């Protein structure tokens, strides 16, 4: 069983590396980060779909069955995602592109997935955490691509920022708190699984604080710009009235 899990994870890692190399060749006029973020976007879309299917259709429901034995589909999706996180963590370390918080997030994700695979249980709530963590990922990558192509300071950029902040707050913080509560009060999950859940939720709050600070700065800047524009418009209108008289 352990050998089969390792092979699945290695196949996943090889698949993500191959996809990255393919993107690098197709976008040789772009940076390596461009290709890496394309891989990240692809993983985000696929993992959202797969984890949503497991949570909402295949089951079991993570809020009522934490600590349940892993299903075959959960195992496949966890191995699929484990390979990605190993790839992305290695890329981030090699290119030194991320800070300590993101590296901690990836490390906790890898440890959590490995823990669920080794135990043969708790794949239900780990899959739910995967869904909550990845649901904002495509928007985050879209924001980066908009910035790189010079289209970030637009209505589209504002919509992406709003949706990202709203989803992060509602799902990762709001729904995540309910999931963590269900995990903590249930007698089934191991104590170290619960500790891992607390650590992941703490990381989400660290991200949340940064997002709120950014949202406040951006909103304040837009408000002052709007006030300045309104003041100029009133001044122009006032000068126009003086000239007519």
């Amino acid at each position: 069983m352990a050998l089969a899990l390792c092979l699945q994870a290695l196949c996943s890692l090889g698949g993500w590396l191959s996809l990255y190399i393919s993107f690098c060749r197709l976008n040789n006029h772009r940076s390596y980060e461009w290709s890496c973020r394309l891989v990240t976007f692809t993983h985000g879309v696929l993992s959202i779909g797969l984890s949503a299917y497991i949570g909402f259709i295949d089951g079991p429901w993570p809020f009522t069955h934490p600590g349940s034995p892993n299903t075959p589909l959960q195992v496949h999706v966890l191995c699929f995602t484990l390979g990605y996180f190993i790839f992305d963590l290695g890329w981030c370390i090699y290119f030194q592109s991320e800070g300590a918080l993101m590296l901690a997030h990836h490390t906790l994700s890898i440890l959590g997935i490995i823990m669920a695979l080794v135990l043969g249980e708790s794949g239900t709530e780990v899959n739910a955490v995967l869904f909550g963590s990845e649901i904002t990922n495509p928007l985050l990558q879209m924001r980066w691509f908009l910035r790189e192509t010079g289209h970030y300071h637009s209505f589209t950029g504002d919509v992406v920022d709003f949706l990202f902040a709203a989803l992060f707050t509602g799902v990762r913080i709001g729904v995540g708190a309910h999931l963590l509560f269900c995990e903590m009060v249930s007698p089934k999950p191991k104590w170290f699984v619960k500790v891992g859940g607390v650590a992941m939720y703490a990381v989400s709050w660290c991200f949340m604080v940064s997002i709120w600070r950014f949202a406040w700065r951006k909103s304040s800047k837009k408000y002052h710009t709007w006030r300045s524009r309104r003041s100029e418009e009133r001044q122009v209108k006032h000068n126009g009235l003086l000239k007519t008289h």
Side-chain angles (χ1 to χ4, degrees), residues 140-153:
L140 184 63
Q141 306 315 316
M142 286 174 61
R143 181 176 181 273
W144 188 88
F145 287 124
L146 286 171
R147 187 182 293 277
E148 284 295 299
T149 55
H151 297 93
Y152 175 68
H153 298 289

Side-chain angles (χ1 to χ4, degrees), residues 45-162:
V45 172
L46 292 176
S47 61
I48 289 169
L50 291 169
S51 57
Y53 177 81
I54 290 174
F56 293 106
I57 299 175
D58 192 62
W61 188 237
F63 298 100
T64 55
H65 294 81
S68 299
N70 299 342
T71 66
L73 183 56
Q74 287 174 355
V75 171
H76 293 319
V77 171
L78 291 178
C79 289
F80 170 80
T81 300
L82 178 60
Y84 163 75
F85 275 119
I86 293 173
F87 157 77
D88 201 47
L89 179 62
W91 193 95
C92 292
I93 292 174
Y94 182 80
F95 287 96
Q96 299 180 346
S97 62
E98 299 291 346
L101 188 59
M102 183 61 74
L103 296 180
H105 171 269
H106 277 34
T107 302
L108 286 172
S109 297
I110 291 170
L111 292 175
I113 292 172
I114 292 175
M115 184 169 55
L117 291 172
V118 171
L119 291 174
E121 61 184 48
S122 290
T124 302
E125 57 265 40
V126 172
N127 176 79
V129 171
L130 172 64
F131 174 79
S133 298
E134 293 298 318
I135 196 169
T136 54
N137 195 294
L139 291 169
L140 184 63
Q141 306 315 316
M142 286 174 61
R143 181 176 181 273
W144 188 88
F145 287 124
L146 286 171
R147 187 182 293 277
E148 284 295 299
T149 55
H151 297 93
Y152 175 68
H153 298 289
S154 63
F155 177 73
T156 302
D158 292 340
V159 170
V160 169
D161 276 347
F162 173 79

